[in-house]
Amino acid sequence: MYASRNLSKCTKDCLCLFVCPTGATNTETGQIDSSRCLDGCRLCVDACPSKAIFLVMDEYPEPAPKDAASASKMMDLCSSRFAQEKAAAAIAASSDEPGLKKLTEALRQSLRITAEDCAREAGFMLPQSEPVRALMEELESS
Amino acid sequence: MRVMEQNIHESLPVIFSNLQKASEKQQNYDSAEHFGKLSEKYYQDAVSGDLRTIKDMIVTDISSMADIQSLAGENGDRGILRALRWGGKVAAIQKSLIDRYLSKGEALTEGKEIFLCEACGFIFLGNAVPGLCPVCKAPSSRFTKVGK
Ligand code: SF4
Ligand code: SF4
């Protein structure tokens, strides 16, 4: 576990510089030096008046397994949304009308985000989870 | 060897771009890059597209969302219910934009910008970024402008 700064929230008040025992918060990039951060210390997290610092985990708990029937239906929805994304991309690439180009480009991106949400809720949310490990193994063996 | 489900196989670019975003949030940038490459590797362009066909598919999706909703309700899967609530609203907006384009043509977007909520996919046609996403309540910082 190590501390990380949300740079858009940091007001450079510098309280984190005073409390950090290793100087990890004092860097020229503005980001905290994770290699010097003490696992689980969190002094800077509590000291920051702007709530700009959070802890990044190294390990994540295994999510609850998804019901197979719902997961499969979410993947059907995912592939349908993705097919529409590709159709929108084809229109955006071939059209000369600026309005249609812009609209289909927006649809393309919007459809990808909604398709990703379906995949996420079908069980592919966390990179470190069992469904993702199983998928990677399947791909490697095929 | 287990044969991969068709719907998973077709969706690999989406599964991987989602894992790319998740890895970025975890600040695992090597892993993010790896998933990004896999997402591109499995992507195949569609040959062509048609607005009316997209619209018909959206209508079908909206009705299948209702079926999944009752199943997820029985299982108490709040994650799926949340995804369907956002996804249903966004699908309705996608469909209405297509309808409006089909009736108004190029006049629809004239003098207007399109903004996209990166959290839920909500599309906003207007002159300024919304203060809050009406679908998922993400702040204006999650919006990006589409195109130039
Ligand atoms: S205490 Fe918080 S606001 Fe101040 S410099 Fe550190 S991260 Fe930024
Ligand atoms: S968690 Fe502790 S060691 Fe790590 S940056 Fe913050 S104050 Fe320094």
Side-chain angles (χ1 to χ4, degrees):
Chain A
M1 221 184 323
Y2 58 89
S4 184
R5 227 186 238 121
N6 179 340
L7 295 177
S8 64
K9 279 177 134 185
C10 170
T11 56
K12 328 294 168 196
D13 282 323
C14 294
L15 284 174
C16 64
L17 303 186
F18 304 158
V19 300
C20 180
T22 69
T25 52
N26 199 356
T27 61
E28 67 287 0
T29 58
Q31 193 44 274
I32 294 171
D33 179 356
S34 60
S35 69
R36 293 171 72 179
C37 178
L38 305 173
D39 188 16
C41 150
R42 71 168 298 133
L43 279 173
C44 61
V45 180
D46 296 330
C48 174
S50 317
K51 299 207 177 350
I53 308 183
F54 56 95
L55 293 177
V56 181
M57 306 290 153
D58 304 311
E59 284 175 37
Y60 294 83
E62 182 62 31
K66 289 279 176 180
D67 164 61
S70 325
S72 177
K73 282 178 190 286
M74 288 304 276
M75 284 316 297
D76 283 340
L77 190 58
C78 178
S79 60
S80 172
R81 309 252 73 198
F82 184 39
Q84 295 158 52
E85 171 200 321
K86 292 202 239 183
I91 302 173
S94 64
S95 164
D96 298 322
E97 311 254 41
L100 182 59
K101 239 183 158 58
K102 205 186 221 176
L103 175 66
T104 45
E105 176 56 24
L107 284 169
R108 179 187 76 74
Q109 294 183 33
S110 169
L111 284 157
R112 172 61 68 101
I113 293 166
T114 50
E116 284 173 345
D117 203 8
C118 296
R120 189 152 55 218
E121 291 303 333
F124 298 111
M125 168 145 42
L126 183 73
Q128 296 88 343
S129 66
E130 191 44 44
V132 175
R133 270 193 293 275
L135 176 68
M136 299 310 285
E137 273 168 26
E138 247 174 287
L139 280 176
E140 274 158 28
S141 69
S142 65
Chain B
M1 195 188 77
R2 199 157 73 87
V3 180
M4 191 179 296
E5 312 277 347
Q6 181 70 17
N7 54 16
I8 292 181
H9 192 262
E10 284 167 3
S11 306
L12 286 173
V14 176
I15 294 174
F16 288 129
S17 65
N18 178 55
L19 293 172
Q20 177 184 14
K21 289 181 184 173
S23 298
E24 277 164 8
K25 281 172 201 151
Q26 295 181 5
Q27 306 190 352
N28 289 333
Y29 298 112
D30 290 344
S31 155
E33 196 187 336
H34 178 62
F35 286 128
K37 283 187 181 142
L38 285 173
S39 175
E40 281 168 28
K41 176 179 162 190
Y42 290 104
Y43 187 89
Q44 282 173 316
D45 282 318
V47 213
S48 64
D50 170 71
L51 269 190
R52 283 184 180 79
T53 316
I54 297 178
K55 186 183 126 172
D56 292 344
M57 289 177 81
I58 296 177
V59 173
T60 311
D61 284 349
I62 291 176
S63 73
S64 55
M65 283 181 204
D67 296 342
I68 313 174
Q69 194 166 10
S70 56
L71 189 60
E74 284 164 27
N75 296 324
D77 191 323
R78 299 183 67 177
I80 291 186
L81 291 174
R82 194 268 317 140
L84 293 173
R85 194 170 315 119
W86 292 4
K89 286 181 183 171
V90 171
I93 289 154
Q94 291 165 343
K95 176 182 170 292
S96 116
L97 280 167
I98 295 178
D99 280 333
R100 285 162 65 198
Y101 185 84
L102 290 173
S103 69
K104 291 177 82 177
E106 288 292 301
L108 176 70
T109 52
E110 250 158 53
K112 291 206 177 95
E113 300 291 354
I114 299 183
F115 299 96
L116 180 78
C117 174
E118 296 283 347
C120 71
F122 169 66
I123 303 171
F124 179 72
L125 182 65
N127 297 309
V129 189
L132 200 66
C133 175
V135 174
C136 73
K137 314 294 178 227
S140 55
S141 58
R142 292 294 320 259
F143 278 85
T144 49
K145 194 160 104 176
V146 177
K148 292 156 256 78

